[in-house]
Amino acid sequence: MSRPRHGHVTALRPARLRPADIFRLGGTGLRTRPLRVFLSALGIAIGVAAMVAVVGISSSSRAEVDRRLDKLGTNLLRVAPGQTPDGRKSSLPEEAVPMIGRIGPVQQVAAVGAIEDAAVYRNEHVPVGRTSSVQVAAAGPRLLPAIGGHVDTGRWLESATEDYPAVVLGSRAARRLDAYTPGMRLWLGGKWFSLVGVLDPVPLAPEIDNSALVGWRAAQTYLHFDGHPSNIYIRARNSQVTAVRDVLAATANPAEPNEVTVSRPSDALAAREATESALTGLLLGLGGVALLVGGVGVGNTMIISVLERRPEIGLRRALGATGGQIRGQFVTESLLLSALGGLGGLVLGTVITAGYAYARGWPTEVPMWSGAAGIAVTLAIGGIAGLYPAVRAGRLAPTEALAGV
C-alpha cells in the first residue's frame, strides 16, 4: 500500500510485464526441463522436416527437369507411323525425311528405321530368341545432334563407317548385352558387327537407349532393311514449333496424313512431372499429420508443466501476478517450444533435400515459402496447443495452487 495522502489510501496495482519479461519467463520454463523440451520439439521438427523435404525434393526435381530441357531443347518433334483404318500399323514413305527437311523453320531432321527381322546377341552361341529385348535399327550420322544425344565411349556412326558392319549401342542396350568396349564383335542379324561406340542416356528419345544402331546404308546392304523410317526427329525454330507441328503429318505422308503420329517429347517429361506432383501432395499430407502429432505432444507437455508447476503459479499469484500474465507466460512458452521445433525441422528438411539432390546430381532448391509456411503453421499449432494449459494455469487461485506445497 502506498503512503496515505489527504486521508486516502492508494490501492496496489499489479506490476506490468513488458514483452521482454514474458519472453524471459517463457524461456526459463523451457530451460528447466531440457529433455522434455527436446522430445516435444522433436515431434514438431519431424513434421516440419517432412514438409520442407517433400517440397524441396519436388522443387529440386523440377529444377533438374527444367535444366535438362534447357540443355536438350524443347523444340524437338517426333513423327512416327500410326495405324491404318483397319487397325494395322502404317508405314512412313522413304521420302519422308527429305520432304520434312524442305519445311522452312526446320533446322535438323534425322530418322531411325526399325529392322524387325534382325536381332543382336553377345555371340553366335546365344540361343535364338534371347535378344535381351534390344531393338535393331538403322540410323544416319545426323541423328545424335537432332535428339541431343552424346557418345559415352567410342564414336558415332560417321560417314566413313555407316557403310560397314559397325554398330553403336544405346546405354540400356549396352547394359543388357554387357558390351561396352569398342572393337568387340556382336552377332547381329546372322553376321558379325563391330561395336564402335556406346551412347549416354537420351532423355528426349528413350527408345534409343534400348537400340542397337547400324548405318542406314549398311542396314540395307547386310540386313535387308527396306528403307522406311520408323521414327523421324525434327528440330524446329523455337518460335515456329507449333506451326511446324501442324504441317508435319501432311508433309511426312501426303497420301495418308491421318496415319501419322506427331508428338513432342518434352511434353512427356512435363506430364511425368505433373504425375509426380500428385505424389508430392500425398507426402505433404503425411507431413501435416506428423506436424499435428507434434502439436499434440506440445499440448501434452504444457498440460504436464501446469500440473507440475502449480506451486510456482500459486506463489506468483500470491505475489500479485494476474491471470493474464500467467496465461501469457504459458502461451509464450508453448510458442517458443514450437519455434524451436520449427527451426530444427527447417534445418533438418533442408539438409535432407540437399543430401538427396547431391546424391542424384540435381540442383538443390528449397523454396523460401515452404520454410516460412512451416514456421507459421508450427507457431499456429503451438499457440493452439498451449492455449488450454495457459487458460487453466491462469484460472488457478493462489490458495488452490499452493495447496500442494
Side-chain angles (χ1 to χ4, degrees):
M1 296 180 49
S2 62
R3 184 178 298 173
R5 292 182 180 178
H6 307 292
H8 295 285
V9 177
T10 303
L12 288 174
R13 294 181 179 179
R16 297 178 61 87
L17 294 180
R18 296 172 298 175
D21 297 325
I22 297 178
F23 182 85
R24 187 169 57 253
L25 285 171
T28 301
L30 297 183
R31 287 195 299 271
T32 56
R33 298 164 179 82
L35 181 58
R36 183 179 298 167
V37 167
F38 171 77
L39 294 176
S40 299
L42 182 61
I44 288 286
I46 291 174
V48 174
M51 296 180 67
V52 172
V54 167
V55 175
I57 291 173
S58 176
S59 298
S60 298
S61 173
R62 282 192 290 270
E64 171 65 10
V65 171
D66 293 339
R67 184 183 68 82
R68 289 165 64 185
L69 287 178
D70 289 340
K71 182 179 178 181
L72 298 173
T74 57
N75 62 336
L76 177 65
L77 297 168
R78 186 174 71 177
V79 172
Q83 289 185 333
T84 62
D86 57 0
R88 293 181 293 106
K89 187 175 181 179
S90 63
S91 61
L92 295 173
E94 297 181 43
E95 302 80 13
V97 172
M99 289 192 298
I100 292 175
R102 296 190 186 101
I103 301 175
V106 170
Q107 297 172 322
Q108 294 175 333
V109 57
V112 296
I115 307 173
E116 304 293 344
D117 298 331
V120 58
Y121 302 93
R122 178 68 186 267
N123 54 58
E124 75 274 27
H125 301 296
V126 178
V128 175
R130 294 187 179 180
T131 62
S132 302
S133 301
V134 175
Q135 171 70 50
V136 178
R142 294 180 294 178
L143 176 64
L144 280 193
I147 62 177
H150 300 279
V151 176
D152 181 28
T153 58
R155 58 180 180 171
W156 177 240
L157 297 168
E158 303 165 350
S159 56
T161 58
E162 66 171 340
D163 290 327
Y164 296 96
V167 59
V168 172
L169 296 179
S171 59
R172 194 180 308 119
R175 198 162 53 246
R176 290 180 173 178
L177 293 171
D178 192 26
Y180 301 96
T181 307
M184 69 178 298
R185 298 195 305 169
L186 296 175
W187 188 247
L188 198 158
K191 299 175 178 63
W192 287 110
F193 276 67
S194 295
L195 178 64
V196 296
V198 177
L199 302 180
D200 283 328
V202 185
L204 293 182
E207 62 278 1
I208 299 297
D209 295 341
N210 199 45
S211 298
L213 303 167
V214 300
W216 199 273
R217 291 193 294 269
Q220 294 175 322
T221 302
Y222 299 103
L223 303 176
H224 310 292
F225 174 50
D226 61 9
H228 291 278
S230 58
N231 277 298
I232 304 175
Y233 304 94
I234 303 101
R235 291 278 184 178
R237 286 204 298 267
N238 288 318
S239 60
Q240 300 293 323
V241 171
T242 303
V244 171
R245 185 177 185 174
D246 292 340
V247 301
L248 275 178
T251 305
N253 191 352
E256 301 291 345
N258 294 331
E259 298 179 5
V260 177
T261 300
V262 180
S263 62
R264 190 174 182 178
S266 58
D267 291 344
L269 290 179
R272 185 182 67 184
E273 190 62 32
T275 302
E276 291 176 352
S277 67
L279 180 60
T280 299
L282 174 61
L283 295 177
L284 280 176
L286 295 177
V289 172
L291 193 58
L292 181 61
V293 172
V296 172
V298 171
N300 183 58
T301 297
M302 297 309 301
I303 290 176
I304 294 176
S305 181
V306 169
L307 296 177
E308 289 182 344
R309 296 161 65 184
R310 287 165 64 97
E312 174 194 335
I313 296 170
L315 181 59
R316 290 196 58 212
R317 291 300 306 274
L319 292 175
T322 64
Q325 292 171 348
I326 300 296
R327 288 192 294 271
Q329 173 188 346
F330 278 88
V331 169
T332 301
E333 191 172 322
S334 177
L335 290 174
L336 287 174
L337 179 58
S338 299
L340 286 175
L343 292 174
L346 177 59
V347 172
L348 180 60
T350 302
V351 170
I352 293 173
T353 300
Y356 187 85
Y358 177 79
R360 299 294 298 271
W362 296 350
T364 301
E365 185 171 312
V366 180
M368 292 184 61
W369 67 263
S370 64
I375 297 296
V377 171
T378 298
L379 292 177
I381 290 178
I384 295 172
L387 189 60
Y388 171 71
V391 171
R392 183 173 178 177
R395 287 178 178 176
L396 286 176
T399 54
E400 180 184 358
L402 291 170
V405 180

